[in-house]
Amino acid sequence: MTFEELCLDPRILRAVTEMGFEQASPIQAKSIPIAVEGRDMIGQAQTGTGKTAAFGIPLLQRVDPHNKKLQAIVLCPTRELAIQSADEVRRLAKFMHGIKVLPVYGGQEISKQIRSLKGGVQVIIGTPGRVIDHINRRTLKLEQVGAIVLDEADEMLNMGFREDIETVLERLPEEHQTLLFSATMPKPILEIARNYLTNPETVKVIKKELTVPKIDQYYYEVNPRKKSEVLSRLLDMYDPELSLVFCNTKRKVDELVEDLKGRGYFAEGLHGDMKQSQRDRVMNGFRNGRTDILVATDVAARGIDVDDVEAVFNYDVPQDDEYYVHRIGRTGRAGRSGRAFTLVVGREIYKLKDIQRYCKTKIKRQPIPSMDDITDIKAEKVLEKAGGLIESENLGKLIDILEEHLDDKEYSSLEMAAALLMIQMGDNGAPELEKEDFGDTGAEPGMVRLFINIGKKHRVRIGDILGAIAGESGMEGELVGAIDMYDSYTFVEVPREYASEVIDAMKHAKIKGKQVNVEPANHK
């Protein structure tokens, strides 16, 4: 089912279209019509099925942007999920001017959250403990809350949040909608549903057993601004004859195709906005070998049936675990060997771990290949080809030309061969990507924890530190992880691939007029 068929608010549909998603996932297609009607609902679905949009879209459709009071609450088990869900709901609300979405969670200074709440917030997404804290402080007023979502309810119960959840539910106005999402339905979940939901509709999206074909699978932790460079290195290193590259959105397909063409690759794109005649032309070029690299979205790739694909590249980590299996199943067909590569940015490592768990597969971490690696492999391939020519061709005439040329030169035949090899291999002056290995700094996966010698007593706020890091390094502020501030120092988590850039950029930076020192945190 397409999002147009779900009859969404035009502003939400515009946001979904801009995000590049072509089709609603099963949980979205089943949940959104029920939730939009205002009915209570139980949704049984695992992580990685598109649940955030399944509840986010109905919440946004009922929120009044002119009313600055709190109107909807989402409870979720972890800080990471609260941040990710808030980011996605904000993107869905991009064209709904006046709607504010705020994540609240433990570990972040509560005074910062209180300041944000005073400005007026319609949707809160938070962990149960911190939401209760705000309710008790009266910084969250529940009088106009019309909807609550319990996301990953079974996880919240496993973490001991049942009492907090029930406390929030009991304090809500009598007239409200409750949406409960859970991967499993243990007895305590059913008890909460029985006690707090009114005639709920049940929606089930149970994943079938996912079996991953025998394909070598690898992942690389990358800086988002260097993804196309890393992809290029992998293409050069493995030199597959036919490659499939998957992106999550139509816009990303178009951008990546232009980038690859600019680098000299024979690449074409495939996505839902293309006419059938264009799609046929692209697929014919891929099947006939005129195109080496096909860049596609998941929906557009469904009709691809090509046996000779040697490698699949997940340029974006897929939104759904099943998409991962469908993607990598495009290689290694007809008894051939296949390889699958996934580029991971920052917190996406959590999504990759979910994929490994649900697909019961092993995806090995690999270092980004250096230019020396690429040079060695290219040289080996050229020399292998040259060896074949020596065995199969008569090179007498060419040998005579070389001998005649070298007679009056001061360099050897070996030096001449090396120069010809360089010409054949082309320019290898791509930028270096290797970063210092920071080891374990106590950060969450995919991140590095940094120590900054400035804290509360210097009259510095978390926003000052976030702004300095983003401003000096050029990194988007939303990529910054946890910020823990103490009296005289602060810990900040940044994506591993940005850590070196942040440290370098902050060497000459000042925060509130004070020169700061930034270095990897010590972790024992």
Side-chain angles (χ1 to χ4, degrees):
M1 179 180 284
T2 64
F3 285 102
E4 286 89 347
E5 291 170 326
L6 288 172
C7 301
L8 306 183
D9 182 305
R11 296 167 298 176
I12 296 175
L13 184 59
R14 183 182 171 192
V16 169
T17 302
E18 185 177 279
M19 289 163 75
F21 297 115
E22 297 180 318
Q23 193 163 13
S25 71
I27 190 66
Q28 293 163 359
K30 291 182 178 182
S31 299
I32 290 173
I34 296 169
V36 164
E37 289 179 6
R39 287 185 280 165
D40 285 5
M41 190 192 77
I42 300 170
Q44 187 169 356
Q46 293 168 323
T47 302
T49 52
K51 287 190 283 88
T52 305
F55 64 72
I57 288 172
L59 287 188
L60 292 173
Q61 294 214 161
R62 71 178 294 158
V63 167
D64 177 5
H66 302 294
N67 179 359
K68 300 303 179 186
K69 304 290 186 183
L70 178 64
Q71 299 170 53
I73 295 175
V74 180
L75 295 182
C76 46
T78 65
R79 173 186 72 187
E80 291 76 27
L81 185 58
I83 293 169
Q84 290 168 14
S85 298
D87 285 344
E88 184 163 348
V89 174
R90 277 196 206 101
R91 289 198 294 273
L92 291 167
K94 179 177 180 180
F95 301 105
M96 304 181 78
H97 302 298
I99 290 182
K100 288 190 177 179
V101 180
L102 182 72
V104 296
Y105 48 87
Q108 185 186 50
E109 195 176 316
I110 197 165
S111 60
K112 178 185 178 185
Q113 295 173 2
I114 291 171
R115 283 198 303 274
S116 299
L117 289 169
K118 284 181 177 176
V121 175
Q122 291 97 342
V123 181
I124 285 294
I125 301 178
T127 51
R130 184 51 66 97
V131 170
I132 288 283
D133 200 349
H134 280 292
I135 290 172
N136 290 337
R137 290 168 181 261
R138 294 289 294 161
T139 48
L140 277 184
K141 297 182 174 69
L142 307 182
E143 291 80 7
Q144 296 190 37
V145 172
I148 186 168
V149 177
L150 308 180
D151 190 17
E152 299 199 6
D154 50 356
E155 274 301 307
M156 287 196 284
L157 292 193
N158 290 340
M159 296 170 71
F161 287 131
R162 177 169 180 169
E163 189 176 326
D164 288 343
I165 292 169
E166 291 181 336
T167 299
V168 175
L169 289 169
E170 286 166 1
R171 296 193 187 183
L172 291 176
E174 188 173 341
E175 292 295 319
H176 71 269
Q177 177 186 31
T178 304
L179 306 176
L180 185 154
F181 288 88
S182 185
T184 59
M185 288 292 158
K187 187 178 177 183
I189 295 287
L190 297 175
E191 288 174 354
I192 287 176
R194 188 166 57 249
N195 294 335
Y196 296 99
L197 275 69
T198 304
N199 299 321
E201 189 87 17
T202 299
V203 170
K204 287 187 178 181
V205 177
I206 307 299
K207 290 190 176 182
K208 55 182 177 286
E209 186 70 27
L210 298 177
T211 55
V212 176
K214 292 182 179 178
I215 293 166
D216 294 329
Q217 300 165 68
Y218 308 100
Y219 77 91
Y220 301 81
E221 292 183 44
V222 302
N223 180 320
R225 293 185 296 178
K226 304 285 178 63
K227 283 175 85 172
S228 59
E229 171 63 25
V230 173
L231 176 63
S232 299
R233 290 197 183 185
L234 294 174
L235 288 166
D236 289 345
M237 185 169 179
Y238 291 98
D239 195 23
E241 287 193 16
L242 289 180
S243 307
L244 260 172
V245 181
F246 284 96
C247 299
N248 288 347
T249 66
K250 296 174 280 191
R251 183 197 297 175
K252 185 61 68 178
V253 167
D254 291 336
E255 290 173 354
L256 183 57
V257 167
E258 286 306 306
D259 189 288
L260 289 172
K261 284 182 174 178
R263 293 169 181 265
Y265 297 100
F266 294 97
E268 292 289 349
L270 198 68
H271 58 65
D273 279 355
M274 297 168 65
K275 296 176 182 175
Q276 190 59 47
S277 58
Q278 291 175 298
R279 293 161 66 92
D280 291 343
R281 176 186 61 77
V282 169
M283 278 308 305
N284 287 334
F286 189 56
R287 287 195 180 97
N288 298 334
R290 291 193 304 273
T291 300
D292 303 328
I293 304 164
L294 183 62
V295 185
T297 57
D298 293 286
V299 174
R302 285 179 182 171
I304 297 173
D305 187 21
V306 179
D307 284 339
D308 297 332
V309 174
E310 291 183 25
V312 167
F313 297 88
N314 294 309
Y315 192 77
D316 296 322
V317 176
Q319 298 291 315
D320 190 288
D321 305 334
E322 289 188 33
Y323 286 169
Y324 180 82
V325 177
H326 294 157
R327 287 180 181 189
I328 73 169
R330 307 284 177 176
T331 184
R333 291 187 172 189
R336 297 180 177 88
S337 60
R339 293 190 180 100
F341 307 91
T342 302
L343 306 186
V344 179
V345 175
R347 293 190 187 92
E348 288 178 346
I349 192 71
Y350 285 111
K351 179 62 197 160
L352 199 70
K353 288 182 184 298
D354 286 339
I355 289 171
Q356 289 190 85
R357 185 163 63 250
Y358 290 121
C359 302
K360 299 180 177 65
T361 188
K362 178 67 176 172
I363 310 173
K364 301 170 191 169
R365 185 177 185 272
Q366 293 283 89
I368 295 170
S370 68
M371 287 313 301
D372 285 342
D373 295 332
I374 305 299
T375 300
D376 290 346
I377 287 168
K378 279 189 171 182
E380 191 175 318
K381 288 180 177 174
V382 172
L383 292 171
E384 191 177 302
K385 190 175 180 180
L389 289 173
I390 290 170
E391 291 181 4
S392 62
E393 302 291 335
N394 181 0
L395 303 177
K397 175 66 174 172
L398 296 173
I399 290 171
D400 290 342
I401 292 173
L402 275 172
E403 285 182 340
E404 184 179 329
H405 181 78
L406 291 170
D407 275 346
D408 57 347
K409 302 295 182 184
E410 293 181 358
Y411 41 75
S412 67
S413 55
L414 197 58
E415 289 172 315
M416 173 61 76
L420 293 171
L421 180 61
M422 179 178 283
I423 292 169
Q424 176 64 31
M425 287 168 55
D427 178 26
N428 284 310
E432 274 304 318
L433 296 173
E434 285 62 54
K435 299 294 182 189
E436 182 182 345
D437 183 4
F438 294 99
D440 181 9
T441 59
E444 63 182 66
M447 308 289 277
V448 170
R449 198 171 194 230
L450 302 178
F451 170 89
I452 305 178
N453 65 334
I454 195 169
K456 295 176 184 175
K457 73 176 186 182
H458 303 105
R459 297 183 180 178
V460 172
R461 299 175 303 167
I462 285 176
D464 297 325
I465 290 177
L466 178 62
I469 290 173
E472 295 293 334
S473 68
M475 176 177 64
E476 294 179 25
E478 65 184 23
L479 293 176
V480 177
I483 301 179
D484 299 316
M485 182 176 281
Y486 299 91
D487 285 342
S488 55
Y489 56 89
T490 301
F491 290 111
V492 182
E493 292 187 9
V494 299
R496 184 170 292 274
E497 292 302 316
Y498 270 114
S500 292
E501 290 181 30
V502 170
I503 291 170
D504 289 342
M506 295 295 286
K507 281 178 181 174
H508 307 292
K510 289 185 177 181
I511 299 177
K512 287 289 182 78
K514 177 177 171 57
Q515 187 74 42
V516 296
N517 178 53
V518 180
E519 59 188 55
N522 292 321
H523 179 60
K524 297 179 180 179

